[in-house]
Amino acid sequence: MSTVNSLTDWFASPQGQYLLLREQDFFDQTVSDIFGFNAVQLGLTEFEFLRASRMPLRAVAGNRAGLRACKSADGDKSANYAKVRLIMDELPFESGSLDMVVMPHVLEFNENPHQILREVERVLMPEGHVIIAGFNPRSLWGVRRAFGSKMGYPWRGNFISLPRIKDWLALLGFEVVSGRFACYAPPLLNAKLIQRMRFMEPAGDRWWAVCGGVYFLQAIKRVPGMRPIKPRWNEGLVGKLLPVAPKLGREVSQKSKTGTE
């Protein structure tokens, strides 16, 4: 039975370190290619999942009483982040004000995951990005949660299946543009055993890609825009109408010339 009191504490365990390194790698690769001005990381505020982002204004936000300094997987700390204390299902951001929202394991540890996604959709501007990391119930990690103790982290969370997340995103007008699975090895407690299971990562990507212990999704908020409808003019008729003014002008000039003669 796990004795850790938070998901952040669990990330310090061999299991957590195994997952954290892969999550940090995914977020680094993904956020570096997204451009804009305002980016927010919801949850796990102690970790720096926006460190590779090029956006000038970045913030970490959570509902914990004290927001400690961010730190990346290698332990580096950063002071270039605003820290916001909030309630996840009532985000204190203006509608359409953010370019990117990063959500590492937010949905499975909150009572109203769909409402949180609604709030994310509200605060994102059109074409804004949301990046989600979640535990996959259809994996060895999901089997461990289903048949083992649900005490402690991360097993006390409500693992949400990938198809369900995609349905929620589609209902809110998001388009999923990329995704990935990771952590194919079983959730072992011993660091040496985890090290020996490293061969399962490339094998999992090739042979059982949808069974990774964690999934990642990148989606874009799509807003239908107005497209002006132009009339289809009769080119033959337009061609006859356009010369009218010049013709009248020439007739007037010809009459004036005749009168002067």
Side-chain angles (χ1 to χ4, degrees), residues 79-99:
N80 297 323
Y81 293 82
K83 299 177 181 63
V84 182
R85 183 181 177 186
L86 48 69
I87 299 174
M88 289 291 182
D89 52 3
E90 296 180 7
L91 299 180
F93 304 111
E94 185 178 356
S95 298
S97 62
L98 302 180
D99 297 282

Side-chain angles (χ1 to χ4, degrees), residues 112-177:
N112 301 307
H114 193 264
Q115 175 59 26
I116 294 174
L117 280 179
R118 285 182 180 275
E119 280 291 283
V120 170
E121 187 277 334
R122 178 185 65 81
V123 301
L124 278 175
M125 62 175 54
E127 304 301 310
H129 293 249
V130 59
I131 305 172
I132 299 171
F135 289 103
N136 182 15
R138 300 176 182 177
S139 67
L140 293 176
W141 293 61
V143 171
R144 158 63 181 83
R145 179 188 178 276
F147 295 99
S149 171
K150 294 180 177 61
M151 299 293 293
Y153 288 85
W155 319 115
R156 64 183 301 174
N158 180 26
F159 292 8
I160 305 173
S161 68
L162 184 59
R164 189 177 184 187
I165 293 290
K166 287 184 174 180
D167 286 343
W168 288 351
L169 291 171
L171 288 173
L172 293 171
F174 284 96
E175 178 187 356
V176 176
V177 294

